[in-house]
Amino acid sequence: MNNSDLVVMTKASAKPGKEEEVLRALRDVAEAGRAQSGCVDYRILRAADDSTATINFERWSSEDARDAFLAGPEVERFSAAVSGAFAESPQPVSYEAID
C-alpha cells in the first residue's frame, strides 16, 4: 500500500427488512467508485453472522479523489436509495498507512 493512499472504512447496519435494499445500493455505489480514476479498491463486506451489518472498505489515491467521488451524482443516488434504511447514520473513519 502506498503511504499516500487514503483508506476509509465505514461500518453500517441496515434496519431489519431493509438488508437487500441497502446491499443493492451499496453494490451500485461500489461499482461507481471502482470506475473512478482515483479509486484503488472499493469493497463491501457483510458480517457472516449478521445480514444487517456491513463494512465498506475504500482505498483512494488521495483525499481529493475521494472528495470528488463524494460530490458526484452516484453518491447522491446512493443517499436517496438508502434514506431511512440504516439503523443509525454510518460514520466513515479515515486511515493512513503507517508501514
Side-chain angles (χ1 to χ4, degrees), residues 6-85:
L6 172 69
V7 173
V8 179
M9 293 177 30
T10 307
K11 184 177 177 182
S13 292
K15 289 180 179 175
K18 298 288 187 177
E19 298 93 340
E20 290 305 315
E21 178 181 330
V22 166
L23 285 178
R24 254 190 320 277
L26 286 170
R27 287 182 180 121
D28 289 347
V29 79
E31 182 179 339
R34 287 185 206 110
Q36 302 299 307
S37 62
C39 183
V40 177
D41 194 7
Y42 199 128
R43 299 193 183 275
I44 307 299
L45 309 169
R46 181 170 53 186
D49 62 350
D50 182 357
S51 65
T52 67
T54 58
I55 293 180
N56 290 15
F57 173 88
E58 304 172 51
R59 185 172 156 211
W60 296 88
S61 60
S62 69
E63 189 170 355
D64 288 343
R66 184 172 190 265
D67 288 345
F69 173 62
L70 292 177
E74 297 89 354
V75 174
E76 189 174 316
R77 281 193 295 274
F78 169 76
S79 296
V82 296
S83 178

